[in-house]
Amino acid sequence: MTNPLNLFDRPNSYIGKTVPRPDARRLLEGRGRFVDDIQLPRMGHAAFLRSPHAHARIVSIDVAAARAHPGVIAVFTGAEMAQHVEPYVGVLTHLAGLRSAPQHPIAVDIARWQGEPVAMVIADSRATAEDAAELIEVEYDELPAACDAETALDPGTPVIHPAFGNNLAWERTVDVGDVDAAFARDDVTVVERTMRFGRHTGVTLEPRAAVAEFDPSEDRLTFHYSGQAPHMMQFIFAKHLGLPEENVRVVAEDVGGSFGIKIHTYGDEVATAAAAKVLRRPVKFVADRAESFMTDIHARDHVVEGRMAVTADGGIAALAFDDLTGIGPFSMYPRTSAIEANQVLNLTGAPYVVPNYRATARVVFQNKNMMCQYRAVGHPIAMAICDGLLEDAAAAIGMDPVAIRRRNLMRDDGYPCASASGMKLADLSHHKAMDRLVELMDYDRLRAENAALRAQGIHRGIGFCSMVEVTNPSPMFYGVGGAPIASQDGATLRLDAGGGLQVASSVTEQGQGTNAILAQIAAGVFGVPIERVRVKTGDTETVPYGGGTWASRGAGIGGEAMLQAALALKSQVLDVAAVILQARPDDLDIRDGSVTDANGTPRMTLSDLARTVYYRGNELPSDLTPELIATRHYRVTDFPFVFTNGAMAAHVEVDPDTGFVRVLDFWAVEDCGRVINPQLVDEQIRGGVVQGIGGALYEECLYSPEGQLLNTTMADYLVPMAGEMPDIHVAHVETPTRTSVLGAKGAGEAGTGGAPAAVMNAVNDALRPLGTSIWQMPMTPERILKALGRV
């Protein structure tokens, strides 16, 4: 062959030149795996001394006793760690005006929330590291704390970052139509409510955990962690630890739950990686449960002033609200802490025709743990605002809550269209979902039964929620704002000599069944038994580049990439088979691990074909160069997001003497496009509903006025248990998305997004005959009794 492109003569070519072997540096360094007489360093275990104050100046820090403690390998203060880590700032350019101060892995000079790391100890065991951390003497000058989001912007409130002049991080207003004129009309009924949402967190079964290893001979960092986005973290470690990106390997294999909690940049994890690089030894950090409650991101800390105007026939004339959210002292890097409020603005009222819409969000700093994206980001607030006001308005005009939804839901045949906030919508089925829900729950019978029981002093209620879920996000979500977060995902399929498929995908597995779905798609599209498919995810060294798992994108984006790669590989195989069998590719197929004719008659096994290619290539024409491997990437291009929709209902019983709420039944009808694995989808919905019920009735991170987190154990942070959970009935409407061949939308967050509104509406349906209602989550017994005037 000729060299038409002068590949070997270019100035930067290495061909024909003497270069060191790739392992030469290891041999010269004397620390590599090829040297037998060098003792490799043992793993160090990290523990962090954390600030006991919500806001304090670090006057002095004495680590001498800790460094002298037996078994201690190293101690880092914030100032010392700052020499090795470039600070990071959590802003995105498309969130205009968002600001946040530079952040360090360990506090430098000032600690800004209780639990912020102020020193790191690395020792030969975790117990030793914790003992040494207790020997560190820190002199604090406690500062006034700004803990209450509702007073964060008041003139007398301490400013957390003086350079900013106030505690405002970001604000935005959406204003569509003539809201003021709509509320001023004589023919409308107006309802107004103040809604409060308690901050809570993910409580993953497996806490955050990391093991970092640095190989100085290759200038290479390997970081194993319990997380969701390996390629994002690869970029972050490279940028902030001063390494080439190709010298950073991040591995996130099977993860014990994440729910969005493990998709962020945590200072203790960055410090673990930096310490491994500095010390040239492996370093391990595992958060204990108290650390998880104090430092895993929180979410949902919102106060909303909302109002809705409806006509006599139930039509929504206007919807308006002001949302205030406290995010902690920094905006989380790199996804930022303004996304949740932005989602509330974008998603509120999205299922409905709302001609006049005004929404304002203000995001403020406070001296509490940082807030950021957690499962169903912003959805529980957005759905509760609109559906809560809608059912309140229905009660005010004497209209059935199902009827008022049917009056206002967007028509199923009206897509594509846009929501009031401008979100592009397509392929939704709100009316079909509501019809299926009413049928599933036997609504009329249940209403009659509740009325009869009320006469006996038993107070039961039914609440609904019509909802949307953001899934399959495009680059418009993060990439457009400059974040190192891929909206695409990739899949690679390779046919082995034995006839099996080796599959690699950039999405990650957190227990939601992604690997099973990927195997299903690969096996079904390509044509092999599913047990012959081996799936690899979560390793930046072996999988294609991609975004990982977030925003319910595994099946919709990762699955579509897998489908396209399987089709490409199948085409390759059939081209080879056609040559070997003297047939046309269009007359062949692959079924059950064999190449067949169009009628399904086996002609040759895939293993025979693969071995011919790999071992006996001389039997093939010289111009046929099969690779038997295919990689494809996929991203959504036509819409910023692909929306899933659903209809949900809760049936509850409220005890007015104790304030206790019992959820009797819950129904969810979801349209997530093509359902690939019904059991996995149904259990994702059920798991989401459980978390939604948790936020509605049980879960809240409680702080003192001084910023002390009061519940840092599973004994006093309540999560829903099996005994509190109802039967959760799931059904589906399938409207495939037009954005892909597979047609799959996401399903992982709908339950969490819609359940709180349904439960709140059900509780208020039960309380309304008693002359009261409740608009604060979680709806604890104490709060219900207060609403009833009994405490």
Side-chain angles (χ1 to χ4, degrees), residues 51-333:
S51 171
H53 304 292
H55 200 197
R57 180 174 290 103
I58 302 171
V59 178
S60 65
I61 181 166
D62 186 349
V63 300
R67 284 184 171 140
H69 189 70
V72 169
I73 297 166
V75 178
F76 292 94
T77 65
E80 291 166 340
M81 183 59 69
Q83 298 175 24
H84 306 286
V85 180
E86 177 187 323
Y88 36 92
V89 181
V91 297
L92 292 170
T93 58
H94 67 304
L95 298 179
L98 174 61
R99 58 186 184 176
S100 185
Q103 191 178 352
H104 295 275
I106 301 174
V108 177
D109 298 330
I110 295 176
R112 293 181 174 87
W113 84 90
Q114 181 214 9
E116 183 174 12
V118 296
M120 177 187 194
V121 178
I122 299 163
D124 56 13
S125 71
R126 172 66 181 247
T128 300
E130 289 181 351
D131 289 344
E134 292 182 358
L135 300 175
I136 297 174
E137 296 183 3
V138 183
E139 181 184 351
Y140 293 101
D141 178 12
E142 192 170 357
L143 301 172
C147 299
D148 186 351
E150 293 184 75
T151 62
L153 299 178
D154 290 355
T157 300
V159 176
I160 297 173
H161 303 290
F164 291 161
N166 58 41
N167 289 320
L168 182 67
W170 183 71
E171 63 181 337
R172 178 190 170 211
T173 296
V174 177
D175 199 344
V176 177
D178 193 338
V179 173
D180 294 332
F183 278 109
R185 285 166 50 180
D186 295 332
D187 63 338
V188 299
T189 298
V190 177
V191 292
E192 299 186 48
R193 295 294 179 183
T194 298
M195 302 182 187
R196 300 179 187 278
F197 302 85
R199 65 160 54 205
H200 52 282
T201 187
V203 197
T204 56
L205 183 64
E206 176 192 35
R208 291 187 296 107
V211 176
E213 178 187 6
F214 186 76
D215 184 347
S217 66
E218 293 188 337
D219 195 31
R220 178 175 171 82
L221 173 71
T222 300
F223 191 80
H224 293 261
Y225 87 127
S226 176
Q228 301 174 237
H231 283 106
M232 181 192 84
M233 294 308 300
Q234 180 188 42
F235 173 92
I236 287 169
F237 287 134
K239 174 177 173 58
H240 295 281
L241 300 185
L243 293 167
E245 199 163 338
E246 64 272 17
N247 286 13
V248 177
R249 178 189 181 193
V250 178
V251 182
E253 296 188 332
D254 291 342
V255 173
S258 55
F259 315 124
I261 297 297
K262 298 176 179 176
I263 203 166
H264 308 291
T265 303
Y266 289 95
D268 44 28
E269 294 179 2
V270 174
T272 298
K277 180 173 182 258
V278 172
L279 299 175
R280 300 188 172 196
R281 70 165 70 216
V283 177
K284 178 180 181 179
F285 168 68
V286 179
D288 62 29
R289 189 57 69 183
E291 287 179 303
S292 293
F293 279 119
M294 284 193 293
T295 64
D296 289 1
I297 63 101
H298 296 172
R300 325 274 207 242
D301 189 356
H302 293 254
V303 178
V304 177
E305 302 281 349
R307 56 185 181 142
M308 177 181 284
V310 296
T311 58
D313 66 349
I316 298 173
L319 172 61
F321 66 90
D322 293 325
D323 175 34
L324 176 70
T325 178
I327 61 168
F330 299 95
S331 173
M332 200 76 176
Y333 176 75

Side-chain angles (χ1 to χ4, degrees), residues 25-58:
R25 283 179 295 165
R26 292 201 298 273
L27 292 167
L28 295 172
E29 180 89 16
R31 300 179 65 90
R33 61 181 66 94
F34 304 116
V35 181
D36 297 328
D37 59 348
I38 299 294
Q39 180 65 47
L40 295 177
R42 295 179 59 190
M43 180 181 292
H45 296 261
F48 291 87
L49 179 68
R50 299 180 182 274
S51 171
H53 304 292
H55 200 197
R57 180 174 290 103
I58 302 171

Side-chain angles (χ1 to χ4, degrees), residues 469 471-472 551-553 555-556 642 644 670-672 744-750:
E469 175 193 355
T471 78
N472 301 2
S552 298
R553 60 194 303 281
V642 172
T644 286
E670 183 165 18
D671 185 346
C672 59
K745 310 170 190 175
E749 299 172 89

